[in-house]
């Protein structure tokens, strides 16, 4: 079964927000590159996905110049870059067609944010019939404010609020929600090992 690695929203937009300093995984680029190297070594497809909000004036507005991959992430020829305007990577794009045309049956998900665009994409992918592998340690997110919190607070105020959900709890809840229902949870190291095993076997045989 053919496999595709989806890199979701690892883009400069997030680094422009004050909340970036609360990100759960500052080394997200390194982790994603490990996955991408694994994909390429196994001749799997890599799909780069960006989030765009045209005309919004936010860091997700293409006019700001921030809707681009973070430094250190470099697509190769033949690796599609897809721009979405919804939380999941399917609804407003041709991603499903791209995957189907390549005979892809499994998607491996990484990116920003764990519980938002990554989790939503995993759920939709599962509903569309793909096997889904969710690589939690190649995702990143921020603490989440309580639903009744006032708007416009500083990062310090958000973190000081006991009702704020810490990033590690956000990530744990995503894993609980996805595992056994929508996705298989894996680590970068586990993916690297499973990709290397067939290569080692063929060399020894």
């Amino acid at each position: 079964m053919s496999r595709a690695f989806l890199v979701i929203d690892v883009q400069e937009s997030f680094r422009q927000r004050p909340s970036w300093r609360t990100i759960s995984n500052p080394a997200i680029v390194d982790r994603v590159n490990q996955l991408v190297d694994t994909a390429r070594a196994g001749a799997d497809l890599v799909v780069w996905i960006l989030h765009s909000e045209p005309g919004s004036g936010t860091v997700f507005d293409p006019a700001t110049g921030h809707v681009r991959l973070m430094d250190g992430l470099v697509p190769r020829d033949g690796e599609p870059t897809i721009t979405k305007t919804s939380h999941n990577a399917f609804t407003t794009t041709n991603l499903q067609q791209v995957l189907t045309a390549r005979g892809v049956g499994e998607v491996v998900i990484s990116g920003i944010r764990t519980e938002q665009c990554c989790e939503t994409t995993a759920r939709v992918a599962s509903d569309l019939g793909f096997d889904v592998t969710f690589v939690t340690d190649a995702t990143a997110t921020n603490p989440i404010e309580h639903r009744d919190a006032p708007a416009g607070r500083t990062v310090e105020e958000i973190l000081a609020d006991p009702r704020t959900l810490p990033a590690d709890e956000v990530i744990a809840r995503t894993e609980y929600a996805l595992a056994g229902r929508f996705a298989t949870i894996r680590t970068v190291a586990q993916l690297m090992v499973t990709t290397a095993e067939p290569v080692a076997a063929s060399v020894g045989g």
Side-chain angles (χ1 to χ4, degrees):
M1 177 174 58
S2 183
R3 187 166 63 167
F5 284 64
L6 310 184
V7 181
I8 300 172
D9 301 352
V10 187
Q11 63 192 70
E12 184 62 25
S13 307
F14 285 102
R15 295 201 324 119
Q16 298 302 309
R17 289 176 156 181
S19 60
W20 177 252
R21 58 192 176 89
T22 70
I23 200 72
S24 63
N25 188 358
I28 180 75
V29 169
D30 294 336
R31 292 293 178 88
V32 166
N33 271 327
Q34 288 179 299
L35 277 187
V36 169
D37 288 345
T38 298
R40 291 169 177 165
D44 292 318
L45 178 66
V46 178
V47 182
W48 305 88
I49 298 159
L50 297 170
H51 184 76
S52 176
E53 298 175 3
S56 66
T58 70
V59 293
F60 294 98
D61 189 332
T64 65
H66 301 312
V67 182
R68 56 182 173 83
L69 293 171
M70 289 184 182
D71 290 345
L73 298 177
V74 182
R76 287 184 178 175
D77 290 344
E79 296 176 350
T81 298
I82 292 174
T83 301
K84 64 181 178 63
T85 55
S86 62
H87 286 121
N88 80 80
F90 289 95
T91 301
T92 59
T93 73
N94 67 338
L95 177 59
Q96 184 179 4
Q97 291 86 343
V98 168
L99 299 179
T100 301
R102 304 285 187 103
V104 170
E106 177 189 357
V107 294
V108 179
I109 292 178
S110 63
I112 304 173
R113 288 188 289 199
T114 309
E115 82 293 348
Q116 193 168 337
C117 294
C118 295
E119 180 179 339
T120 308
T121 297
R123 289 170 179 261
V124 174
S126 176
D127 282 350
L128 290 173
F130 295 99
D131 289 337
V132 181
T133 298
F134 195 89
V135 191
T136 312
D137 65 344
T139 70
T141 194
N142 305 95
I144 296 179
E145 295 184 80
H146 188 270
R147 63 180 180 273
D148 297 329
R153 296 192 299 176
T154 65
V155 171
E156 289 74 18
E157 289 171 327
I158 293 169
L159 294 177
D161 187 340
R163 300 176 302 173
T164 294
L165 194 65
D168 59 345
E169 292 189 30
V170 175
I171 293 166
R173 291 178 187 216
T174 291
E175 290 187 333
Y176 270 97
L178 292 180
R181 298 178 177 90
F182 301 99
T184 299
I185 308 299
R186 290 286 183 266
T187 64
V188 172
Q190 287 171 329
L191 263 292
M192 294 172 70
V193 167
T194 57
T195 299
E197 282 174 348
V199 176
S202 64
V203 171

